[in-house]
Every structure is written in C-alpha cells, then in structure tokens.
Amino acid sequence: MEKSTLKEDLLLATIGVILLAMCLWDGIGITFDSHLYLLGSSYLSEHGFSGIFTVPAFKAKPPLLSMLYALLQNNLSLIKLANLFFLAGTLLINFRLVNRLVTDTFFRRFTKALLSIATPFMLVHSFLWSEPFFIFILSLYYLFSYKSLVGPKKTWALYLLPLLGVMLIGLRHIGIVFTLVMSLYLLLHYRKFSKYQLIPVLLNMLLPVFALLAWHRGVLMHGGNAEGYNLTGGLDLFRNFVVYADVLRVWLLPPGLPLPEVLSVLAFIVYGIVAGLAIKQSYSSGKQHLVLLFVTSAASYAGFMLLKGDLLIDDNERYLAVIYAPLTLLLFYVISNRSLNATIDQKLIWVICVLWFCYPLARTAYNVNRWSQNGINTYKPETAPERILKEYQNPRQSQNL
C-alpha cells in the first residue's frame, strides 16, 4: 500500500467498519439462504465431509461459507466480526485499486469515501450471506490479476489466482463468470509470462471449471435436482432489466423523482457510456488492463444475472453489490479525467460532487439508523421457514425426529 495514502485509507476503512458495526449492533440479518448455510455448517461440525452430497443444504449451496461458519461454531458474534473483517479488507484492497486508477487527489479521496459509506456494502455485510466473503475474495482476485499483468511477476504469487478462483466457486457458482473472463484475459496476454509462469495461469482457468463440474456431478449423482441450476427458469428478461436498472438509478439519484422507469433506463445508459469512455481513456493512460478487467467481468456478470429466473425484487441490490466497486471506480475514473480537460472551473466540479455526495451519505445514514433501531433477527432454529424444516434438514437429524 502506498505510504502517501496509508493514513487516508485506514481512516476511511475505519469509518466504514464503524457504520457496519452500528448496523450489526442488535444482530445480523437472517434469510432463507442464511438458514441453509447454518444448517450446512451444523452438519459439517457433527459429521465432517462424510456424506456431504446427501445433505439437501449442500445440494442448494456450495460449501465454503458453511465451512467458515463451522470453524466459527455458528457463533453469531464471531460471524459478525468476520463480516467486519471482510468489509475492512474489501475497502483496503479497493482503495489500492483506486490509487492505481484515479490519480487526481480530490477524486481519489472522493471515490474512497464513497466506497466506505456505500449502502450496497452495508446491506450485504449486515446479513448472513455469501456476498461479504465473496466480494472480499473477488477484490483480491482483481488485484492479483492486475498485478500479474504489470510490473515484476513472482511465480509463487501467480499460484494464488487459481486458489482464489476455486474459492469464488466454493462461495457462489456464479463466480465461474469472473474466473473464466479474467483468466481468459490473462491467457490472451500469454507473452507477458515465462513458460513456468504459464502453468499457474492455465490452472487459473482450468481448476475453477473442474471444481464446479466436480461439485455438480457429486450433487446430481446423489439425487440433486438439475433444474436447480437452470438460470432461465421462470425468466422474465424485461422485468429483470427494469429491476436491475432501478438499482443503478438509486445509486445515482434519490428515490421519489418523477418518471422512475425513464431514469432507470438513463442510469443504465450512463454506465454503458462510462464503460466505453473508460476503455477509450485507458489506452492513452496505460491503465487499460485494470479497466478491461473491470468492464469485461462486470458486463459478463450483469449479463448472466439478467438471465436469473424468479428474481426477487428484494435481492436486486444484493446481487449488484458484487460489482458496485468496479462500476464506481470506472465512473470516477472517467469523471476525474474529463474534469481535467473541462472548460468550466474544476473547483465548480468539486462543489457539484460534494453536493451530490450528500445523497449517498444520507441514504446510508438512513439505512444504518433503520437497521440499528429496528434490530435484525438472530438465528433460532425453531424460526426456520417451514420449507427448510421439511426439505433442508440434515438427513441424520431427520432420522431421529
């Protein structure tokens, strides 16, 4: 981490952690997915990996988060502490990426401040979901992928990429999108690597794919439902687009404005233009590798998520939180570069940005207050939804009922 920015990075990361601690003061959010992870971790604590593919919870979810919770003994205080750690790590890693991408001092600090108080981050870290761990690992994956393309390369460090890729698969199956896109990008630049360095680069592409196929094969061989992996079941593409575009609108503009559907489409167009401008600018600035990693992976992820059937409106911001950091970095990379060449006074641009910053700050403050005042559920097995008790209980437990 650059010494010149270490203090500001630690300060802003601390602010983010304090905000999240306020969210988690009265507990951590529990949803249907959360019960599955906890039931899976309970099974691992009792039986280890023996018969893991017979456990219905693991037929629905990959195992890595349940493994972490098993190590933490399903202790909610330790899980909350883990989420605080994941947020701090995610922020510090993304701050390093900001340093590489945004050179203007004002916009560098502004982008970091925006990340540290981001509602999408507060949301996913306030619940017992896979996203906190996933976003942390994904941030590391971005950083090491970028570093493998620039500067001196250490062969041992390249072996971290396939490990991180397998971890992404172990947290969420959709992680295969990020590993395939970014590993393919690295392979397209094979001339940057020696023949020995190409081994971990190839493993970076192959191991996550094999891990995903092996897991699905194990699930299907033990009575898993192949339809559970069908992204397009109950698909309404136009509805999905509107639901996700609405999240982009809320990231940029406060709710309650007239013509929300039109503004949602405009927000989608804005981010599309930002991606195009970022690519164009990067070729003249030497930052094209990081920009292209962000654009290609975020676009691929968004494309796959558009195909998700039976999308719940409550999950829209949760899913897009995964690419909030890349989209935010691209947005202010473009704005900072454009502001340097703008005909209007740069100080006026700064004032506009500061005034706009009041909106995401107010949105986060409102949500933090709402979550901390209302409290969030704590885990009680007897409160598990009826469907979980019937379909997702551990087989060995059900025999004793």
Side-chain angles (χ1 to χ4, degrees), residues 119-130:
T119 292
F121 284 166
M122 298 301 149
L123 170 67
V124 297
H125 288 79
S126 296
F127 283 81
L128 201 156
W129 288 336
S130 62

Side-chain angles (χ1 to χ4, degrees), residues 89-104:
T90 295
L91 290 175
L92 290 173
I93 295 166
N94 279 284
F95 290 168
R96 291 196 64 175
L97 296 174
V98 172
N99 292 338
R100 302 294 179 93
L101 200 59
V102 183
T103 55
D104 180 82

Side-chain angles (χ1 to χ4, degrees), residues 142 174 177-178 181 231 235 237 240-241 244-245 248 251 268 271 294-308 311 319-320 322-323 327:
Y142 275 125
I174 197 68
V177 174
F178 292 100
V181 170
L231 282 173
L235 174 64
L237 190 60
N240 285 2
F241 171 78
Y244 285 130
L248 301 180
W251 286 353
F268 175 82
Y271 277 103
F294 280 163
V295 171
T296 54
S297 60
S300 300
Y301 173 78
F304 268 84
M305 295 309 293
L306 275 175
L307 299 177
K308 182 173 178 59
L311 174 65
Y319 293 145
L320 287 190
V322 171
I323 54 174
L327 292 182

Side-chain angles (χ1 to χ4, degrees), residues 139-324:
S139 300
L140 283 173
Y141 198 68
Y142 275 125
L143 179 63
F144 281 103
S145 295
Y146 174 66
K147 291 185 71 172
S148 69
L149 291 165
V150 297
K153 302 173 184 62
K154 297 180 180 179
T155 302
W156 67 266
L158 291 173
Y159 280 98
L160 291 175
L161 286 173
L163 174 62
L164 292 172
V166 171
M167 291 179 72
L168 288 175
I169 301 301
L171 287 165
R172 292 184 62 191
H173 296 310
I174 197 68
I176 193 65
V177 174
F178 292 100
T179 60
L180 282 178
V181 170
M182 287 195 270
S183 61
L184 179 60
Y185 185 86
L186 263 62
L187 278 177
L188 291 175
H189 297 81
Y190 65 93
R191 293 181 181 177
K192 292 181 175 289
F193 306 99
S194 69
K195 61 180 181 179
Y196 297 107
Q197 292 171 337
L198 280 175
I199 296 175
V201 173
L202 286 170
L203 290 175
N204 183 35
M205 170 172 279
L206 297 177
L207 282 184
V209 175
F210 289 152
L212 181 63
L213 293 176
W215 182 262
H216 280 204
R217 181 176 180 271
V219 169
L220 296 176
M221 287 181 64
H222 291 82
N225 186 0
E227 293 180 1
Y229 305 111
N230 182 9
L231 282 173
T232 60
L235 174 64
D236 186 338
L237 190 60
F238 177 76
R239 175 183 174 275
N240 285 2
F241 171 78
V242 172
V243 167
Y244 285 130
D246 186 63
V247 176
L248 301 180
R249 173 182 64 85
V250 174
W251 286 353
L252 297 176
L253 299 170
L257 296 176
L259 302 175
E261 294 83 2
V262 175
L263 292 177
S264 296
V265 174
L266 289 176
F268 175 82
I269 294 173
V270 165
Y271 277 103
I273 293 174
V274 164
L277 291 175
I279 293 173
K280 182 179 178 181
Q281 290 176 185
S282 66
Y283 280 106
S284 60
S285 65
K287 300 171 183 176
Q288 66 270 27
H289 290 312
L290 186 55
V291 168
L292 287 173
L293 286 172
F294 280 163
V295 171
T296 54
S297 60
S300 300
Y301 173 78
F304 268 84
M305 295 309 293
L306 275 175
L307 299 177
K308 182 173 178 59
D310 301 321
L311 174 65
L312 299 177
I313 293 179
D314 291 342
D315 287 334
N316 54 1
E317 187 160 16
R318 171 190 175 183
Y319 293 145
L320 287 190
V322 171
I323 54 174
Y324 175 78

Side-chain angles (χ1 to χ4, degrees), residues 3-23:
K3 292 183 179 179
S4 60
T5 67
L6 178 60
K7 290 183 179 180
E8 71 182 46
D9 291 353
L10 292 175
L11 174 62
L12 291 170
T14 301
I15 292 173
V17 169
I18 291 173
L19 287 172
L20 178 59
M22 293 172 62
C23 295

